[in-house]
Amino acid sequence: MTVYQRIKRILFSLCMLAVALFFFFNPSDPAYKIVVAILSLGLIIAGIKDIVFYFTMARHMVGGKMILIQGVIIFDFAIITGSLANVPKIYILLYLIGVHAFSGAVEILRAREAKNTVAGPWKMKFFHGAVNIILAIACLVFIRQSNTALIIYSLGLMYSAAVRLIDAFRKTAFVVIE
């Protein structure tokens, strides 16, 4: 990772942390609509990025169709997320439960695979998956509270910002060819 990439990652993490703290201490209805808009916009950008990457490079790669399928699915999730602005908050909580539980299970399985193949920092992946599972359980426990969606989202955002900061300061290994 270059110095510019590290600085960019640190600044983005600090912005994420500031937004998360704002949502955590101001869980109101306008903040709820802002969260839905941010989630939808982020997913739209990620989906379009994958689709454009497919048409520019990945169609010539082995397994490139998976990138196209991933981009289309992410874009579909963005549209679904954007349409959730005016539905009752319990549906958003169910959505958060599903997203956190699924991503937590995937991260834990990836950590087990990394541990067995001795590739990469498996402890961080396992911890990330465990935190996602804990957030899903917290959504289930506090499903009747009105501001649970914003608080759980902001906690997840704080955790993601912390992981990005740790990753930005971590030494990266590189290969030197002599």
Side-chain angles (χ1 to χ4, degrees):
M1 189 180 303
T2 65
V3 174
Y4 174 72
Q5 289 173 330
R6 286 185 195 275
I7 291 171
K8 191 169 80 168
R9 184 167 282 228
I10 290 168
L11 290 176
F12 187 73
S13 300
L14 292 175
C15 288
M16 282 176 60
L17 191 60
V19 168
L21 288 173
F22 173 76
F23 289 143
F24 188 75
F25 291 115
N26 298 319
S28 61
D29 196 44
Y32 173 77
K33 292 187 190 269
I34 293 170
V35 166
V36 170
I38 289 172
L39 279 173
S40 181
L41 184 65
L43 288 172
I44 284 173
I45 291 170
I48 290 174
K49 186 180 85 170
D50 282 350
I51 292 170
V52 167
F53 178 66
Y54 169 77
F55 284 113
T56 56
M57 287 189 71
R59 65 181 172 176
H60 304 293
M61 296 169 30
V62 174
K65 284 187 183 178
M66 289 303 293
I67 293 172
L68 176 66
I69 293 168
Q70 175 182 324
V72 169
I73 290 173
I74 289 172
F75 191 77
D76 287 344
F77 272 122
I79 304 241
I80 290 170
T81 303
S83 69
L84 293 176
N86 296 322
V87 298
K89 291 182 182 178
I90 194 156
Y91 295 119
I92 298 293
L93 283 173
L94 293 174
Y95 184 73
L96 275 174
I97 290 168
V99 167
H100 282 297
F102 180 74
S103 64
V106 167
E107 281 294 316
I108 288 174
L109 290 173
R110 286 177 60 205
R112 283 187 52 208
E113 181 182 0
K115 182 181 179 187
N116 291 338
T117 60
V118 191
W122 67 271
K123 292 177 185 175
M124 186 70 131
K125 288 181 184 180
F126 183 80
F127 187 70
H128 185 70
V131 167
N132 274 333
I133 298 283
I134 290 169
L135 287 174
I137 291 170
C139 279
L140 275 174
V141 169
F142 299 111
I143 200 162
R144 294 285 180 203
Q145 305 290 330
S146 64
N147 294 326
T148 302
L150 278 173
I151 292 170
I152 296 295
Y153 176 74
S154 63
L155 288 174
L157 205 58
M158 284 183 224
Y159 176 71
S160 293
V163 168
R164 281 178 158 279
L165 275 173
I166 291 169
D167 191 42
F169 289 112
R170 181 183 295 159
K171 271 195 155 188
T172 55
F174 58 91
V175 177
V176 176
I177 300 174
E178 294 182 21

